[in-house]
Amino acid sequence: MTDEHTAPHWDPAFAETLIGKTLLMNLTFLDDDGEVAERQQFFGVVIDADEDEGIVLDLLGEHDGDTYTLPPQTSAIQAAEPGVTSLAGDKPDFIASWIIHGAPEPANDVEDED
């Protein structure tokens, strides 16, 4: 049973419109006490949006060449307001902000060094 006041987390039509668009991602990581441990900002082009696999960004700026996969939740993405920019001054088409409980993970293409 679906509550008519609850937006679905995945909108396939909206997901299709994200492909090729730029997305500014703001991540806030909280520690076990709920305190801000770290903040990160990514900017990239959406190269894939799949309900099972998530939303894949081809990162730009200091992370150019890396990818980052967001959870498959289009409900967290909004059109960027005029004047919104990344820390590097890029102007995104869309913006999303997430609060994450736990340690940050590197972009998908970054490998751990032993």
Side-chain angles (χ1 to χ4, degrees):
M1 188 157 132
T2 303
D3 181 338
E4 66 184 57
H5 300 289
T6 304
H9 288 295
W10 185 257
D11 178 342
F14 180 62
E16 273 296 312
T17 68
L18 295 173
I19 305 295
K21 302 293 186 190
T22 55
L23 176 71
L24 173 62
M25 188 69 224
N26 296 300
L27 303 176
T28 301
F29 294 90
L30 303 180
D31 63 18
D32 292 338
D33 297 323
E35 300 294 322
V36 174
E38 185 174 337
R39 293 179 197 267
Q40 295 180 5
Q41 187 180 78
F42 302 135
F43 180 80
V45 176
V46 177
I47 58 173
D48 194 18
D50 181 84
E51 186 173 11
D52 296 320
E53 300 297 321
I55 299 165
V56 182
L57 296 178
D58 181 11
L59 300 179
L60 302 171
E62 73 177 81
H63 300 287
D64 191 24
D66 291 340
T67 61
Y68 196 86
T69 303
L70 306 171
Q73 293 190 348
T74 56
S75 60
I77 300 171
Q78 302 174 1
E81 297 288 327
V84 169
T85 61
S86 72
L87 293 175
D90 300 304
K91 296 179 182 175
D93 297 306
F94 295 94
I95 187 168
S97 297
W98 290 74
I99 296 174
I100 301 165
H101 298 268
E105 294 182 17
N108 302 109
D109 292 344
V110 176
E111 295 182 19
D112 294 331
E113 294 181 22
D114 294 322

